[in-house]
Amino acid sequence: MAERLIVEKFGPIKKIDIELNKILILIGPQSTGKSTIAKLIAIFRSLSFLMSPDEFEEYLEKYK
């Protein structure tokens, strides 16, 4: 089963729907959300994603 990331109205990202393959290359102008996408992928793939809502909010703060 392929992984997919769908994001709407988050930081500089208006709307994306991308399939996450083994290799993902993010290319684009400055301030378009490349780092935001990379951070979201890291967060959601992390094993510590399985935590309480309060702990998850603290974790999100870590990634700013």
Side-chain angles (χ1 to χ4, degrees):
M1 182 175 171
E3 289 180 305
R4 187 176 207 102
L5 178 66
I6 301 169
V7 180
E8 292 186 25
K9 300 178 186 173
F10 187 80
I13 302 168
K14 291 184 174 133
K15 184 175 182 177
I16 62 163
D17 182 346
I18 55 175
E19 187 175 324
L20 303 176
N21 297 310
K22 187 175 181 178
I23 297 174
L24 177 67
I25 299 172
L26 302 170
I27 299 172
Q30 283 184 296
S31 302
T32 56
K34 299 178 301 293
S35 296
T36 302
I37 292 168
K39 289 175 185 177
L40 288 171
I41 292 169
I43 290 168
F44 293 129
R45 283 188 172 167
S46 170
L47 292 177
S48 33
F49 176 72
L50 303 172
M51 57 182 73
S52 74
D54 290 336
E55 291 172 317
F56 182 64
E57 283 188 36
E58 289 175 25
Y59 199 68
L60 284 176
E61 283 297 317
K62 176 181 171 184
Y63 285 89
K64 302 212 186 307

